[in-house]
Structure formats: C-alpha cells, structure tokens
Amino acid sequence: MRKVLSFFRRHPVSSIIVILLLYVAIGALAPFAVPGQLSVDEKTFSKEDYYTEDPDALSADRAHIVEENQEALTQRIRMLELARKEVILSTFDFREDESTTDLSAAIYHAARRGVKVNILVDGMSGLLRMEGKPFFYALSSHPNIHIRIYNPVNPLRPWSINGRMHDKYVICDDQLLLLGGRNTFDYFLGNYPTDSRSYDREVLIYNTDFKNGCTNSVISQVKAYFQSIWESSYVKDFHDQESLSSQKSVQKKILLLEDRYKTLSDLYPECFQDYSYQEHTVPTQKTCLIFGPVTPYGKKPYVWNTLQCLMASAREKVILHTPYVVLDKEMSFGIKEISQNVSDFSMIINSVENGDNVIASSDYLLHKQQVLDTGAALYEFDGGQSSHGKSILIDDDLSLIGSYNLDMRSTYMDTELMLCVQSKELNQELLGYLNTYLAQSRRILDKNNYEMPKGMIPQTMPLPKQILYRILGPLLQPFRYVA
C-alpha cells in the first residue's frame, strides 16, 4: 500500500489517468458480470402464441428469405423507391462506403419527395462510424430525415456502455419489412470490392392488406417495438440541424447523394421495374415478433427462453444456425433439454478458421467439450467466408430469423429480435439454404476429431493465430460474457 501511495504522490497525472481508465473498465464490465435470471412465473410459455393448429389459417403476411448480399441491397433500394409515407431503418452498424452511399442516395431522394425517414443507430457505432462525418450530416440535415442514437457513449456513465442495440430491420410504409442479421455496409450488402464479406440472412415480409394499414401484420409489432425505443430516454438526436447543410463539406456530400441517385437506375435497373411481391413471396399461417427489454442495462433472458421453449417443443427436428456459441450453465442446460426432447437436433456454427469473432472463437476452443456435452449434433461451417446468419428451423413449418446469436451477450446484454414465421413453404426455403451450409461443414465427433464431407478440404489456421486464440481463451474467461 505504501508503494502505491508513493507512486500516486510521485506521478499524480499518471495516477489520475489510471484511476479513470479503471473506472471506465470496471464500470463497463461489472454490471453485466452476474446475468439476470427469469423467475418461474416469467418462464411461462404458450406455443399457441407462435403457432396455429388450424391448417386453413392464412395471415396477411407473405414471406421470402433474402440469402444473398446483392439481393439484400437491391431489396432495400426497391423498398425505398416504393415508399410514399414512411421509412424506418434500425441498424447496429452504419458505415460510409459504397453500398451505404447507394442506400443513402435512395433515402435522400425519398425524403425529398416527402417521405418521413427515421433512422436508429447503436451508440457505439454512432460514435465510431458517424460522428464528425459530413456524409451522415448530409442525411441528418434534411428536414424529413431524423437520426437518433441508441445509448450514446458516455465515459462518465460506463455502466451503460456495453448495452448495445443489435437490431437490424427496414420498414417501408405499412407494406414491407426486411429483418435479419445484416448491418449497413459493404461487408453485408452488395458485391462491391472489399477485403472481406460475410454471408447472412434476412426475411422479407409483404403485408397483403397494407391498404388497410398493418394491424393484421407483424409489421405492426415491429413498429410498436421501434417506437418503444425511439421515444425512450435512452436515445438522443444525431445532429438534427438543417443549418448543417450550409457547410461546404456537407454540401459536397449532398451533391454526391443526388448524383449517385441518378446512377441507381443504371446500377440496379431491377429496382425500378415492375415487381410483384405476391409472386416473389410465399404464404404464411402466422407471423410474430420475439423481443426482449430495450434498456441498455443487464437483461433477463426473455428472448433465449422463448427460443429454447419453441425448440424444445418441436415434434422431431431442429436446426440451429448461429455464427458462434458462448454458453453459460443456464444456456447449456437449455440446449441439453432440447437434445433430450428432440430426436433430430443439429447446430451449425462457424469453424474457428472461418469465423470473424476472435473472442468468441477463442472461447469456443476452450469450451468445445461443453458444447458437445449438450447432445446437439455439432457442425462447423468451413466454407471460407464467415457466416453471420442467425436462424432456427423447427420441424417442417416453423422458421425463425433475426439478430440473436447463441452467446451470452445476445442473451443478457443486447437488444435482440427474432421473427417467427409459420409456413411450410418458407421452412422448405430455409432448409435448402441450411443444407447448403451443412454440405460445407464438418461434423464434430469429439474435441479433437471431426468428419469432413467427401471432397472437402479443411481450412488451416496460421500458427500465430492459433497461439493468439490459445492465449486469449483462458485470459478472457472473466469477461467472456461480452464476446
């Protein structure tokens, strides 16, 4: 203690910096160290809320899975072009690049023709990707475009820093919804040249009754969820100042967006041609939104509890597709329960060679046996390009697609959404995509052995990366919940 006090006296400035750093680090991590748990009453579950036994039931919503990054971009541009009253964009990450410029050009043009645009972005992304960028000020300065930031980063309030908004969806009027795991930049959208890109998945919802509003559509549920965040005390305006448009740097970006819009019909002619959502979607019997608390603080695992119960109630088959897996004891118990109740239960994750999350991959290497002990048939996707999709296939008629990762952060920390769709046709569509992943995945037999599909050559991991993963795994165990 004397040595510490002596150091503080001899180095007062350094000491203050150390204290401040410790304050931020401990404040950011400690509030989430003990995960919230549901009481017995809070674990109530009724499958009828998500599933109907009526074979003749038909909802107002039709659905389609958006699997390819290029289609993800063109669907967004087409939706924005069709919008007449309102656009809602909620995204975890919003970066200035080529695909975002295309989208922003369509957004800016929609605003110019009178469409009200509300954009909601996670606080950490807002700080790192948007602050000080004239590109985003060009959007926020338009009177019909309103950008708000969820949980803006405040070092003086470190206990809220780790609470992130992980939702990703687009809504246009009462007619169209696109929801899934894609963030808003080139890594996930389009086919622009980039150092790397990720596979992902979304579900497109077309409300056939949109002329009468969205009361009978799942879009009404997503809109209500959006409003609960938009109007909360956890969000703040992002440079909502029309005067910014007078700045030369911002004017330059406005001209860029206007000029870019003029090229969109040449770049994506399909977005400006007649398109039948009726023909490109399949019918659904029931659609509903699964969501949890919207505060930036520690959360009880409402989303995970619902997903676990739905999987455990399957008649015979479950395929869980997630980028990575980080389980605590409660989640492991839940996976074991599914394995015991469902005869055909498979889990697809990225191999550590294939994944793009260093912390989650290093944790998985340390806990692989724990995952195998759950009883799920474990497959590691090794296709050379990281998969970011989050989906669950249940039996032959239920599909869940959204933002939830099978990890502790999605379970206890972030806001998360999963769209539950009862439809045999959509289920078959999802099954086809999941089988494509399985064809490029190795079946894990035990901690050290696996079975490869015929003709498939496994990726190799450079020695420095192997060493890094082996060091990080044990080192980060006290903080594995933030992976």
Side-chain angles (χ1 to χ4, degrees):
M1 178 60 71
R2 289 179 181 177
K3 290 182 178 180
V4 173
L5 292 174
S6 175
F7 176 84
F8 283 173
R9 284 193 293 268
R10 287 184 287 111
H11 307 283
V13 176
S14 298
S15 300
I16 292 173
I17 293 173
V18 169
I19 291 172
L20 288 174
L21 290 174
L22 286 173
Y23 170 74
V24 172
I26 295 173
L29 295 170
F32 301 95
V34 179
Q37 298 299 328
L38 297 173
S39 67
V40 174
D41 290 340
E42 289 173 318
K43 288 185 177 181
T44 56
F45 169 80
S46 174
K47 190 174 181 179
E48 288 71 29
D49 291 337
Y50 310 92
Y51 185 89
T52 176
E53 296 285 356
D54 182 359
D56 298 321
L58 192 65
S59 80
D61 293 329
R62 294 176 64 86
H64 164 65
I65 293 175
V66 178
E67 189 77 2
E68 302 297 330
N69 287 7
Q70 184 58 49
E71 186 190 358
L73 178 58
T74 55
Q75 285 287 6
R76 282 166 167 79
I77 294 173
R78 181 182 292 115
M79 290 170 65
L80 291 166
E81 190 63 18
L82 289 173
R84 291 296 175 264
K85 296 180 180 179
E86 177 186 43
V87 167
I88 293 171
L89 167 63
S90 182
T91 183
F92 176 71
D93 206 346
F94 200 18
R95 307 187 188 185
E96 180 184 0
D97 58 15
E98 295 300 325
S99 62
T100 303
T101 301
D102 290 338
L103 287 178
S104 298
I107 287 171
Y108 197 83
H109 187 264
R112 289 188 64 182
R113 65 175 185 265
V115 177
K116 301 296 183 182
V117 181
N118 290 329
I119 300 174
L120 187 60
V121 185
D122 174 70
M124 189 65 73
S125 175
L127 174 65
L128 299 178
R129 312 296 184 186
M130 299 169 64
E131 281 293 345
K133 301 288 183 66
F135 179 88
F136 295 105
Y137 299 162
L139 292 175
S140 68
S141 65
H142 194 284
N144 284 337
I145 301 176
H146 195 182
I147 303 177
R148 305 200 83 188
I149 303 296
Y150 173 87
N151 189 29
V153 175
N154 184 349
L156 299 179
R157 301 177 69 252
W159 51 87
S160 67
I161 287 176
N162 254 316
R164 311 288 300 277
M165 187 197 73
H166 200 232
D167 317 330
K168 304 99 186 258
Y169 55 90
V170 184
I171 302 173
C172 288
D173 298 330
D174 293 325
Q175 183 178 9
L176 298 164
L177 164 69
L178 185 61
L179 185 150
R182 285 188 174 92
N183 294 303
T184 312
F185 59 101
D186 288 354
Y187 190 62
F188 298 96
L189 299 174
N191 286 323
Y192 282 106
T194 179
D195 293 337
S196 60
R197 66 178 72 251
S198 177
Y199 295 124
D200 216 308
R201 181 173 299 119
E202 295 166 307
V203 58
L204 173 71
I205 297 294
Y206 167 55
N207 172 21
T208 60
D209 194 37
F210 69 93
K211 291 182 180 179
N212 295 316
C214 61
T215 304
N216 297 320
S217 168
V218 73
I219 293 175
S220 66
Q221 298 176 35
V222 184
K223 279 191 171 183
Y225 173 84
F226 169 78
Q227 287 298 328
S228 71
I229 300 182
W230 186 260
E231 297 172 359
S232 75
S233 60
Y234 312 122
V235 301
K236 303 296 180 185
D237 289 338
F238 176 82
H239 302 281
D240 188 23
Q241 304 162 7
E242 292 183 41
S243 59
L244 285 171
S245 61
S246 63
Q247 296 181 8
K248 288 186 177 180
S249 59
V250 177
Q251 289 178 351
K252 184 177 180 181
K253 294 299 182 179
I254 291 174
L255 288 173
L256 168 67
L257 295 178
E258 292 175 341
D259 289 341
R260 187 63 159 256
Y261 181 78
K262 297 173 183 176
T263 70
L264 290 184
S265 59
D266 293 327
L267 291 171
Y268 312 106
E270 65 272 29
C271 298
F272 298 83
Q273 298 168 355
D274 289 341
Y275 183 86
S276 172
Y277 284 101
Q278 184 78 20
E279 294 178 5
H280 288 85
T281 53
V282 296
T284 69
Q285 291 177 273
K286 192 178 183 72
T287 56
C288 57
L289 183 69
I290 298 171
F291 61 93
V294 300
T295 74
Y297 309 112
K299 299 170 179 63
K300 292 186 178 182
Y302 288 100
V303 173
W304 165 241
N305 179 68
T306 301
L307 298 179
Q308 175 195 332
C309 290
L310 280 169
M311 287 186 281
S313 66
R315 297 184 300 274
E316 58 183 8
K317 183 183 185 67
V318 170
I319 302 177
L320 170 60
H321 184 201
T322 183
Y324 27 79
V325 52
V326 180
L327 306 175
D328 66 355
K329 289 183 180 179
E330 289 295 323
M331 296 171 71
S332 293
F333 181 80
I335 295 293
K336 287 180 181 178
E337 183 180 6
I338 298 166
S339 298
Q340 292 166 359
N341 291 354
V342 183
S343 59
D344 184 2
F345 176 33
S346 302
M347 187 188 306
I348 308 171
I349 66 171
N350 282 302
S351 68
V352 294
E353 296 86 354
N354 203 73
D356 61 0
N357 186 319
V358 174
I359 298 177
S361 293
S362 61
D363 184 86
Y364 170 68
L365 284 175
L366 201 64
H367 294 278
K368 183 182 287 191
Q369 190 60 53
Q370 174 192 359
V371 180
L372 288 167
D373 288 344
T374 63
L378 183 61
Y379 292 85
E380 293 180 357
F381 174 63
D382 202 44
Q385 185 170 306
S386 180
S387 168
H388 194 250
K390 310 97 166 35
S391 304
I392 303 172
L393 179 141
I394 299 178
D395 294 324
D396 65 347
D397 56 358
L398 211 61
S399 306
L400 296 98
I401 297 172
S403 65
Y404 176 87
N405 297 309
L406 188 60
D407 61 20
M408 295 172 67
R409 170 173 278 281
S410 280
T411 303
Y412 302 109
M413 297 173 67
D414 295 348
T415 68
E416 300 290 355
L417 297 177
M418 292 292 281
L419 203 65
C420 183
V421 182
Q422 183 183 359
S423 166
K424 288 182 179 292
E425 291 90 339
L426 195 78
N427 183 280
Q428 283 300 301
E429 196 176 334
L430 178 58
L431 179 61
Y433 291 129
L434 294 178
N435 282 336
T436 299
Y437 277 92
L438 286 170
Q440 302 176 72
S441 299
R442 56 198 187 201
R443 170 75 183 270
I444 306 305
L445 304 176
D446 56 45
K447 189 176 180 180
N448 300 308
N449 296 285
Y450 53 82
E451 183 178 83
M452 295 288 293
K454 186 176 181 180
M456 183 177 171
I457 301 174
Q459 296 184 72
T460 57
M461 188 161 52
L463 182 59
K465 192 174 181 180
Q466 294 182 41
I467 295 173
L468 175 65
Y469 278 18
R470 295 298 179 183
I471 293 174
L472 283 179
L475 186 66
L476 296 177
Q477 283 309 285
F479 320 109
R480 61 192 297 261
Y481 53 88
V482 301

